[in-house]
Amino acid sequence: MFRQIFTQAKKHPSLIPLFIFIGAGGTGAALYVLRLAMFNPDVSWDRKNNPEPWNKLGPNDQYKFFSVNVDYSKLKKEGPEF
């Protein structure tokens, strides 16, 4: 597969930016899915020891990728303890 990409890039040099951007987009998408699988509280890899990981989050834990208006370090807990 890589040999075919290199031969096409040698024949048509204008395709090199296309290959770079497609590769960067695929890598970025794979890294984002890996981040969601590892750090999202909705995903539970260990059901025996931690069946509900979202209950262990504090009010100041940021689990969103990007937050515009909320400073999570200054939030206080509003609900009861379960």
Side-chain angles (χ1 to χ4, degrees), residues 28-79:
L31 288 174
Y32 184 68
V33 167
L34 181 67
R35 181 195 175 276
L36 286 177
M38 299 302 291
F39 300 114
N40 196 350
D42 295 333
V43 177
S44 177
W45 292 97
D46 187 12
R47 290 187 183 176
K48 279 187 175 180
N49 296 329
N50 194 8
E52 296 176 343
W54 50 88
N55 285 337
K56 291 187 178 181
L57 286 177
N60 56 356
D61 290 335
Q62 179 178 358
Y63 60 91
K64 290 185 175 184
F65 185 69
F66 182 71
S67 178
V68 179
N69 296 327
V70 179
D71 186 13
Y72 284 94
S73 64
K74 297 179 182 176
L75 288 179
K76 296 178 183 173
K77 187 170 184 173
E78 296 175 4

Side-chain angles (χ1 to χ4, degrees), residues 11-42:
K11 288 180 186 178
H12 307 285
S14 62
L15 291 177
I16 293 173
L18 177 70
F19 293 145
I20 290 172
F21 285 112
I22 295 291
T27 303
L31 288 174
Y32 184 68
V33 167
L34 181 67
R35 181 195 175 276
L36 286 177
M38 299 302 291
F39 300 114
N40 196 350
D42 295 333

